[in-house]
Amino acid sequence: GGSSLWRQALHLLWLLKTISLAIDEYKPQDATTNPSLILAAAQMPAYQELVEEAITYVKPCLEKKKKKKDKMGNFTLYVLFGYNKKMLSFDKDAMVARARRLIELYKEAGISKDRILIKLSSTWEGIQAGKELEEQHGIHCNMTLLFSFAQAVACAEAGVTLISPFVGRILDWHVANTDKKSYEPLEDPGVKSVTKIYNYYKKFGYKTIVMGASFRNMGEIKALAGCDFLTISPKLLGELLQDNAKLVPVLSAKAAQASDLEKIHLDEKSFRWLHNEDQMAVEKLSDGIRKFAADAVKLERMLTEQMFNAENGK
Ligand SMILES: *[C@@H]1O[C@H](CO)[C@@H](O)[C@H](O)[C@H]1NC(C)=O
Ligand SMILES: *[C@@H]1O[C@H](CO)[C@@H](O)[C@H](O)[C@H]1NC(C)=O
């Protein structure tokens, strides 16, 4: 029936999520994924067996869908392939609806919403979707593609659970677009951005967790030691474990209190204005949305092709 289709769909999602993570060695408490990570993993020979297993699970759903276009079959496809929804990043209601459906599906599979963070782009619409999900539905959100101070302030005011401001991608932009090609960790524009956000949140008592992400080197990580959480790749985690120097906290609530930041309030107009003043953030945000959309299309195409091949091979 419908709900077993859902379960199969979920199983595929779980498998895809699992293969997208090379994390066994470090026993992290959380795992994260996105269309680009899944696409990269699904193309690695090492994970082909899992991809095939996943396809075996989802094939019956597709066959059913071909026979009769029942609502459930349609919906299963929507879940599996739904990353590829044009303009999702700019449609608040669509984001809320989609997040609530995913949470329902996970609930059916016995996974409570407390274990799940819905990842949303930090566009104005995404941030407002996060606000509604948190306030009205108790659904926790992880705001991603966050590059500007304006985005961080709006997220704090929306009361989302977690933001993941990028460090390395900010550095990349400055290296590509200015004459300066290398930075000391404390001068690194990505480090400075996250430091400012952290200080602002702590100084004004916002509960939103700051989880710095996308690091290019160990120096960036060390310069942000003390941040609530950091997402660190297995490679850099390995380097850190090898490194004998002690990690000293750089960020602290005390230093945040001492900073000279002033509290601001952003409505839609002032958000759009302030964000637009930051050329790097404008370019990186659009770039990020474009890239996820393109990878989602590729992933969808690849999985569909493999499914048809599997069918024809029989
Ligand atoms: C089913 O799919 C069609 C086209 O693919 C779409 O327009 C429609 O909204 C979908 N219905 C549901 C319930 O998902
Ligand atoms: C939140 O999303 C970022 C990507 O923007 C990821 O690096 C991070 O691990 C996620 N955090 C959690 C707790 O899932």
Side-chain angles (χ1 to χ4, degrees):
S3 78
S4 87
L5 280 180
W6 286 24
R7 228 160 265 134
Q8 286 169 347
L10 271 176
H11 193 89
L12 177 65
L13 281 180
W14 272 114
L15 285 171
L16 286 174
K17 179 156 179 146
T18 313
I19 60 177
S20 72
L21 299 160
I23 53 175
D24 289 351
E25 290 165 62
Y26 302 108
K27 313 241 176 309
Q29 54 178 355
D30 294 300
T32 183
T33 194
N34 65 41
S36 308
L37 285 175
I38 296 177
L39 177 66
Q43 287 170 325
M44 291 181 204
Y47 298 120
Q48 278 322 297
E49 214 171 293
L50 279 170
V51 172
E52 275 158 32
E53 197 186 330
I55 284 173
T56 314
Y57 270 95
V58 78
K59 248 184 73 187
C61 312
L62 280 190
E63 276 159 8
K64 197 152 199 165
K65 145 116 178 154
K66 263 189 273 168
K67 280 188 199 117
K68 60 179 171 90
K69 293 207 174 214
D70 68 333
K71 231 182 166 177
M72 287 304 177
N74 205 7
F75 184 57
T76 306
L77 285 173
Y78 167 85
V79 171
L80 288 176
F81 291 75
Y83 276 124
N84 177 20
K85 277 273 176 279
K86 300 267 157 29
M87 299 186 293
L88 194 58
S89 292
F90 300 109
D91 186 337
K92 186 197 89 172
D93 294 337
M95 278 184 268
V96 169
R98 187 164 169 72
R100 292 184 63 198
R101 279 179 160 186
L102 281 171
I103 292 291
E104 250 171 55
L105 289 171
Y106 276 102
K107 190 175 164 202
E108 282 234 339
I111 298 151
S112 94
K113 63 184 177 188
D114 298 329
R115 290 293 304 137
I116 302 168
L117 276 173
I118 296 289
K119 212 182 270 191
L120 297 168
S121 333
S122 304
T123 55
W124 175 257
E125 295 78 8
I127 296 168
Q128 298 317 305
K131 181 177 159 76
E132 188 172 322
L133 287 167
E134 301 265 3
E135 269 175 13
Q136 294 178 29
H137 307 288
I139 293 173
H140 303 301
C141 300
N142 175 1
M143 303 306 301
T144 187
L145 296 180
L146 195 150
F147 301 97
S148 73
F149 187 61
Q151 288 173 296
V153 170
C155 284
E157 294 197 291
V160 295
T161 299
L162 185 143
I163 62 164
S164 42
F166 284 132
V167 181
R169 290 199 205 185
I170 294 183
L171 173 66
D172 296 347
W173 187 92
H174 283 85
V175 169
N177 292 284
T178 68
D179 291 336
K180 197 163 160 57
K181 298 299 171 197
S182 76
Y183 293 84
E184 287 303 310
L186 290 176
E187 293 304 312
D188 184 311
V191 171
K192 283 165 102 174
S193 162
V194 174
T195 302
K196 182 174 174 187
I197 292 167
Y198 175 92
N199 285 343
Y200 186 83
Y201 277 27
K202 300 304 162 197
K203 180 166 180 180
F204 298 110
Y206 289 110
K207 297 275 181 296
T208 300
I209 297 165
V210 182
M211 185 173 197
S214 127
F215 293 101
R216 295 293 174 257
N217 55 60
M218 231 178 12
E220 290 180 327
I221 295 171
K222 288 181 172 175
L224 288 173
C227 192
D228 298 333
F229 290 106
L230 300 175
T231 297
I232 304 173
S233 66
K235 182 175 165 283
L236 285 174
L237 209 46
E239 279 179 36
L240 271 180
L241 292 176
Q242 299 291 311
D243 189 56
N244 287 323
K246 243 195 179 161
L247 267 186
V248 206
V250 181
L251 304 189
S252 72
K254 209 173 157 204
Q257 285 302 332
S259 76
D260 59 3
L261 291 163
E262 275 171 33
K263 193 166 179 170
I264 56 173
H265 163 68
L266 296 180
D267 60 10
E268 180 173 352
K269 277 178 234 161
S270 44
F271 167 84
R272 290 195 190 282
W273 174 263
L274 192 60
H275 179 70
N276 193 62
E277 287 288 284
D278 186 336
Q279 187 190 347
M280 172 279 298
V282 169
E283 288 177 14
K284 291 309 271 184
L285 173 60
S286 353
D287 196 50
I289 292 172
R290 267 195 307 273
K291 182 154 192 312
F292 278 161
D295 283 349
V297 171
K298 269 191 228 157
L299 178 66
E300 220 175 276
R301 225 175 263 153
M302 202 185 87
L303 290 178
T304 313
E305 246 165 53
Q306 288 205 17
M307 268 178 239
F308 279 119
N309 287 345
E311 227 163 69
N312 296 336
K314 293 265 157 72

